[in-house]
mmCIF file of all heavy atoms in Angstrom:
data_model
loop_
_atom_site.group_PDB
_atom_site.id
_atom_site.type_symbol
_atom_site.label_atom_id
_atom_site.label_comp_id
_atom_site.label_asym_id
_atom_site.label_seq_id
_atom_site.Cartn_x
_atom_site.Cartn_y
_atom_site.Cartn_z
ATOM 1 N N HIS A 258 -7.046 6.652 9.413
ATOM 2 C CA HIS A 258 -8.181 5.691 8.966
ATOM 3 C C HIS A 258 -9.050 5.419 10.238
ATOM 4 O O HIS A 258 -8.531 5.252 11.385
ATOM 5 C CB HIS A 258 -7.474 4.331 8.614
ATOM 6 C CG HIS A 258 -8.343 3.374 7.820
ATOM 7 N ND1 HIS A 258 -9.218 2.596 8.475
ATOM 8 C CD2 HIS A 258 -8.618 3.139 6.527
ATOM 9 C CE1 HIS A 258 -10.020 1.950 7.574
ATOM 10 N NE2 HIS A 258 -9.624 2.259 6.355
ATOM 11 N N PRO A 259 -10.388 5.337 9.978
ATOM 12 C CA PRO A 259 -11.233 5.025 11.201
ATOM 13 C C PRO A 259 -10.957 3.765 11.950
ATOM 14 O O PRO A 259 -11.073 3.731 13.163
ATOM 15 C CB PRO A 259 -12.666 4.899 10.472
ATOM 16 C CG PRO A 259 -12.558 5.584 9.246
ATOM 17 C CD PRO A 259 -11.026 5.483 8.802
ATOM 18 N N TYR A 260 -10.398 2.684 11.216
ATOM 19 C CA TYR A 260 -10.010 1.493 11.958
ATOM 20 C C TYR A 260 -8.820 1.796 12.856
ATOM 21 O O TYR A 260 -8.784 1.329 14.031
ATOM 22 C CB TYR A 260 -9.673 0.364 10.929
ATOM 23 C CG TYR A 260 -9.302 -0.866 11.541
ATOM 24 C CD1 TYR A 260 -10.074 -1.588 12.325
ATOM 25 C CD2 TYR A 260 -8.065 -1.453 11.290
ATOM 26 C CE1 TYR A 260 -9.804 -2.802 12.889
ATOM 27 C CE2 TYR A 260 -7.702 -2.683 11.726
ATOM 28 C CZ TYR A 260 -8.673 -3.408 12.654
ATOM 29 O OH TYR A 260 -8.207 -4.629 13.096
ATOM 30 N N CYS A 296 -15.198 -0.943 0.324
ATOM 31 C CA CYS A 296 -14.391 -0.913 1.399
ATOM 32 C C CYS A 296 -14.538 -2.057 2.299
ATOM 33 O O CYS A 296 -15.640 -2.141 2.909
ATOM 34 C CB CYS A 296 -14.356 0.390 2.119
ATOM 35 S SG CYS A 296 -13.356 0.437 3.636
ATOM 36 N N PHE A 298 -13.991 -2.448 5.291
ATOM 37 C CA PHE A 298 -14.308 -2.094 6.554
ATOM 38 C C PHE A 298 -15.711 -1.618 6.845
ATOM 39 O O PHE A 298 -16.173 -1.141 7.828
ATOM 40 C CB PHE A 298 -13.225 -1.070 7.074
ATOM 41 C CG PHE A 298 -13.254 -0.752 8.576
ATOM 42 C CD1 PHE A 298 -13.279 -1.620 9.507
ATOM 43 C CD2 PHE A 298 -13.316 0.602 8.985
ATOM 44 C CE1 PHE A 298 -13.340 -1.397 10.878
ATOM 45 C CE2 PHE A 298 -13.392 1.014 10.237
ATOM 46 C CZ PHE A 298 -13.318 0.007 11.271
ATOM 47 N N HIS A 299 -16.437 -1.541 5.648
ATOM 48 C CA HIS A 299 -17.765 -0.712 5.783
ATOM 49 C C HIS A 299 -18.795 -1.358 6.595
ATOM 50 O O HIS A 299 -19.658 -0.705 7.078
ATOM 51 C CB HIS A 299 -18.250 -0.448 4.273
ATOM 52 C CG HIS A 299 -19.082 -1.598 3.720
ATOM 53 N ND1 HIS A 299 -18.621 -2.542 2.785
ATOM 54 C CD2 HIS A 299 -20.332 -2.153 3.937
ATOM 55 C CE1 HIS A 299 -19.477 -3.475 2.503
ATOM 56 N NE2 HIS A 299 -20.566 -3.154 3.178
ATOM 57 N N CYS A 302 -17.491 0.119 10.131
ATOM 58 C CA CYS A 302 -17.013 1.471 10.179
ATOM 59 C C CYS A 302 -18.158 2.368 10.787
ATOM 60 O O CYS A 302 -19.247 2.378 10.234
ATOM 61 C CB CYS A 302 -16.536 2.009 8.897
ATOM 62 S SG CYS A 302 -15.820 3.593 8.944
ATOM 63 N N TYR A 304 -18.580 5.593 10.471
ATOM 64 C CA TYR A 304 -18.890 6.789 9.624
ATOM 65 C C TYR A 304 -20.101 6.518 8.620
ATOM 66 O O TYR A 304 -21.127 7.220 8.744
ATOM 67 C CB TYR A 304 -17.661 7.268 8.855
ATOM 68 C CG TYR A 304 -17.896 8.433 8.130
ATOM 69 C CD1 TYR A 304 -18.103 9.696 8.722
ATOM 70 C CD2 TYR A 304 -17.947 8.482 6.758
ATOM 71 C CE1 TYR A 304 -18.380 10.960 8.062
ATOM 72 C CE2 TYR A 304 -18.290 9.690 6.054
ATOM 73 C CZ TYR A 304 -18.481 10.768 6.680
ATOM 74 O OH TYR A 304 -18.754 11.958 5.964
ATOM 75 N N PRO A 305 -19.985 5.426 7.789
ATOM 76 C CA PRO A 305 -21.073 5.343 6.805
ATOM 77 C C PRO A 305 -22.438 4.889 7.425
ATOM 78 O O PRO A 305 -23.449 5.076 6.820
ATOM 79 C CB PRO A 305 -20.601 4.261 5.867
ATOM 80 C CG PRO A 305 -19.470 3.514 6.596
ATOM 81 C CD PRO A 305 -18.946 4.481 7.450
ATOM 82 N N ALA A 311 -22.742 8.210 2.198
ATOM 83 C CA ALA A 311 -21.429 7.660 2.333
ATOM 84 C C ALA A 311 -21.410 6.111 2.224
ATOM 85 O O ALA A 311 -20.661 5.534 1.581
ATOM 86 C CB ALA A 311 -20.658 8.079 3.579
ATOM 87 N N CYS A 315 -19.125 3.652 0.186
ATOM 88 C CA CYS A 315 -18.187 2.675 0.927
ATOM 89 C C CYS A 315 -18.534 1.304 0.579
ATOM 90 O O CYS A 315 -17.672 0.401 0.576
ATOM 91 C CB CYS A 315 -18.312 2.976 2.383
ATOM 92 S SG CYS A 315 -17.798 4.525 2.920
ATOM 93 N N PRO A 320 -11.872 1.934 -1.946
ATOM 94 C CA PRO A 320 -11.040 3.085 -1.908
ATOM 95 C C PRO A 320 -9.649 2.956 -2.277
ATOM 96 O O PRO A 320 -9.018 1.918 -2.257
ATOM 97 C CB PRO A 320 -10.966 3.549 -0.329
ATOM 98 C CG PRO A 320 -11.466 2.306 0.424
ATOM 99 C CD PRO A 320 -12.088 1.368 -0.622
ATOM 100 N N VAL A 332 -6.140 4.272 3.270
ATOM 101 C CA VAL A 332 -7.079 3.704 2.274
ATOM 102 C C VAL A 332 -8.520 4.088 2.730
ATOM 103 O O VAL A 332 -9.077 3.106 3.467
ATOM 104 C CB VAL A 332 -6.848 2.290 1.953
ATOM 105 C CG1 VAL A 332 -7.783 1.694 0.876
ATOM 106 C CG2 VAL A 332 -5.395 2.031 1.586
ATOM 107 N N CYS A 333 -8.969 5.204 2.455
ATOM 108 C CA CYS A 333 -10.390 5.544 2.900
ATOM 109 C C CYS A 333 -10.862 6.633 2.117
ATOM 110 O O CYS A 333 -10.194 7.706 1.844
ATOM 111 C CB CYS A 333 -10.335 5.905 4.314
ATOM 112 S SG CYS A 333 -11.821 6.657 5.051
ATOM 113 N N HIS A 334 -12.282 6.589 1.617
ATOM 114 C CA HIS A 334 -12.789 7.646 0.936
ATOM 115 C C HIS A 334 -12.987 8.966 1.694
ATOM 116 O O HIS A 334 -12.846 10.061 1.086
ATOM 117 C CB HIS A 334 -14.181 7.253 0.421
ATOM 118 C CG HIS A 334 -14.298 6.086 -0.534
ATOM 119 N ND1 HIS A 334 -13.607 6.096 -1.662
ATOM 120 C CD2 HIS A 334 -15.020 4.924 -0.361
ATOM 121 C CE1 HIS A 334 -13.909 4.845 -2.323
ATOM 122 N NE2 HIS A 334 -14.629 4.232 -1.606
ATOM 123 N N PHE A 335 -13.200 8.814 2.943
ATOM 124 C CA PHE A 335 -13.704 9.923 3.623
ATOM 125 C C PHE A 335 -12.745 10.373 4.860
ATOM 126 O O PHE A 335 -13.181 11.071 5.787
ATOM 127 C CB PHE A 335 -15.018 9.695 4.290
ATOM 128 C CG PHE A 335 -16.086 9.407 3.199
ATOM 129 C CD1 PHE A 335 -16.675 8.180 2.960
ATOM 130 C CD2 PHE A 335 -16.438 10.538 2.422
ATOM 131 C CE1 PHE A 335 -17.474 7.969 1.993
ATOM 132 C CE2 PHE A 335 -17.466 10.297 1.378
ATOM 133 C CZ PHE A 335 -17.968 9.015 1.175
ATOM 134 N N TYR A 336 -11.461 10.028 4.749
ATOM 135 C CA TYR A 336 -10.496 10.274 5.784
ATOM 136 C C TYR A 336 -10.463 11.783 6.081
ATOM 137 O O TYR A 336 -10.310 12.268 7.222
ATOM 138 C CB TYR A 336 -9.211 9.622 5.681
ATOM 139 C CG TYR A 336 -8.326 10.423 4.740
ATOM 140 C CD1 TYR A 336 -7.418 11.399 5.147
ATOM 141 C CD2 TYR A 336 -8.410 10.215 3.316
ATOM 142 C CE1 TYR A 336 -6.627 12.147 4.308
ATOM 143 C CE2 TYR A 336 -7.607 10.884 2.476
ATOM 144 C CZ TYR A 336 -6.695 11.816 2.963
ATOM 145 O OH TYR A 336 -5.918 12.631 2.129
ATOM 146 N N ILE A 339 -13.628 13.148 7.881
ATOM 147 C CA ILE A 339 -13.545 12.631 9.312
ATOM 148 C C ILE A 339 -12.498 13.373 10.135
ATOM 149 O O ILE A 339 -12.841 13.843 11.224
ATOM 150 C CB ILE A 339 -13.199 11.115 9.264
ATOM 151 C CG1 ILE A 339 -14.423 10.385 8.573
ATOM 152 C CG2 ILE A 339 -13.053 10.483 10.689
ATOM 153 C CD1 ILE A 339 -14.129 8.782 8.370
HETATM 154 FE FE1 SF4 B 421 -15.058 3.809 6.713
HETATM 155 FE FE2 SF4 B 421 -15.872 4.297 4.229
HETATM 156 FE FE3 SF4 B 421 -13.524 5.053 4.949
HETATM 157 FE FE4 SF4 B 421 -14.069 2.483 4.539
HETATM 158 S S1 SF4 B 421 -14.073 4.012 2.938
HETATM 159 S S2 SF4 B 421 -12.911 3.351 6.264
HETATM 160 S S3 SF4 B 421 -16.192 2.410 5.258
HETATM 161 S S4 SF4 B 421 -15.469 5.921 5.744
#
Side-chain angles (χ1 to χ4, degrees):
H258 197 279
Y260 180 58
C296 172
F298 189 50
H299 84 257
C302 182
Y304 185 72
C315 296
V332 185
C333 170
H334 295 306
F335 297 108
Y336 78 91
I339 295 169

